Amino acid sequence: MFGFQQAMLCLSGLLVYPFLVSEAVCAGDATVQLRVQLIAATFVSCGIATIIQTTFGLRLCVLHGPAMAFLPPLLAYKALRASECTFTEQDTVSADIWQGRLQEISGSLLVACISFFVIGGTGLAGALARLIGPMTIVPLMILLTTSIVPTIESKLSLHWISLVMLVCIVAMAVYMEHLRVPIPYYSFKKKRVFTTKIRLFGQFPVASRTTMQIAGVLLILLGLFTKMAALLASIPDALVGGVLTMGISMIAGVAMSNLQVVFRNPSK
């Protein structure tokens, strides 16, 4: 369980962008192949970022994932009439078409990333942090997550199995959170077998950078082992809606948790 649970919990959040980008570029019958490459690249890059941050950066006990700040530009690109996709996943699309769209998305987001270096390098981030609090960040994050709702709705409406998936997720996460199952283990010191009860669907509290570093290594291995990416990319579109719902809900929940530190007694 050492880092494995953290790596597995972030999978739904990491799958959001590969699925959205693979649809935005309109790759036709190459959509699944492109999705595999994007999933593998996402795992590797997030694993590397996690290891670097926990070892050389701020050294916070967090696992890095794709930034939600890039979601509105991606959705805006999909809404452009010039980027409207008229092909299905059964049609053959010229590689020049969808690769050109992919270059447009990656190039524009790369230019946008320069602003992060400027803000961080000039110290402007520290000055803005004194002025921007949770009451500003939380509504912004909620708007970012709700902007993907139409896409999720279109996926969920494809088949009723997506509702079954959501019901199972809610049941396991909410109603079966405190379910404990006995797990036997052997004590070499006392030379006997003991049993302990662990939470089956609950997350183990972890505040160790080493755990996140191991989770980063696991993500890199999952990305290099492309069979895992191919398995995730082959998820039916109806279930993709459930996966996206789970990922977006998790991100929105983390955003709303920032309100816990807000002092709401003053009327102003």
Side-chain angles (χ1 to χ4, degrees):
M1 303 300 292
F2 202 56
F4 177 78
Q5 186 185 42
Q6 282 68 29
M8 293 298 102
L9 282 175
C10 72
L11 287 185
S12 60
L14 297 182
L15 294 178
V16 173
Y17 278 100
F19 278 97
L20 292 180
V21 173
S22 61
E23 292 182 359
V25 298
C26 194
D29 56 357
T31 300
V32 177
Q33 179 183 356
L34 175 62
R35 192 174 295 167
V36 171
Q37 297 175 357
L38 292 175
I39 292 175
T42 301
F43 285 174
V44 173
S45 59
C46 291
I48 294 175
T50 299
I51 295 175
I52 293 176
Q53 191 279 138
T54 54
T55 306
F56 305 105
L58 295 177
R59 304 181 68 186
L60 298 176
C61 182
V62 294
L63 197 148
H64 273 260
M68 292 300 297
F70 298 119
L71 184 58
L74 181 59
L75 296 178
Y77 178 84
K78 289 182 61 178
L80 293 176
R81 180 171 298 181
S83 62
E84 184 178 355
C85 183
T86 58
F87 301 98
T88 64
E89 293 188 6
Q90 286 73 36
D91 299 329
T92 301
V93 182
S94 174
D96 295 335
I97 297 177
W98 64 266
Q99 287 181 359
R101 294 189 175 192
L102 184 61
Q103 291 175 359
E104 289 179 3
I105 295 175
S106 58
S108 59
L109 295 182
L110 178 61
V111 174
C113 287
I114 299 177
S115 61
F116 289 95
F117 288 98
V118 174
I119 294 175
T122 58
L124 186 60
L128 294 176
R130 300 187 184 95
L131 303 176
I132 301 176
M135 294 301 295
T136 304
I137 297 176
V138 172
L140 177 61
M141 291 299 298
I142 297 300
L143 290 175
L144 292 178
T145 53
T146 54
S147 60
I148 198 178
V149 170
T151 302
I152 296 177
E153 184 181 2
S154 63
K155 297 294 184 182
L156 293 176
S157 61
L158 294 177
H159 199 275
W160 57 266
I161 193 65
S162 58
L163 298 179
V164 177
M165 178 182 179
L166 288 178
V167 170
C168 293
I169 293 174
V170 173
M172 294 178 183
V174 179
Y175 298 102
M176 303 178 68
E177 179 183 4
H178 301 290
L179 178 64
R180 296 179 179 270
V181 295
I183 300 295
Y185 69 96
Y186 181 77
S187 175
F188 291 96
K189 184 177 181 180
K190 297 184 178 181
K191 296 182 178 180
R192 56 175 295 187
V193 177
F194 294 89
T195 58
T196 182
K197 291 186 176 181
I198 65 172
R199 295 166 58 185
L200 185 60
F201 299 105
Q203 182 180 6
F204 295 101
V206 175
S208 171
R209 292 192 300 269
T210 304
T211 301
M212 293 302 170
Q213 291 168 350
I214 294 178
V217 173
L218 291 177
L219 287 178
I220 295 176
L221 295 178
L222 290 176
L224 296 178
F225 184 68
T226 54
K227 295 298 182 181
M228 182 63 180
L231 177 63
L232 296 174
S234 62
I235 298 176
D237 284 345
L239 296 182
V240 169
V243 173
L244 295 180
T245 302
M246 184 169 57
I248 293 298
S249 300
M250 182 172 59
I251 296 171
V254 173
M256 294 184 66
S257 65
N258 288 284
L259 294 177
Q260 296 177 355
V261 299
V262 176
F263 186 63
R264 297 182 294 271
N265 288 338
S267 58
K268 64 179 181 180

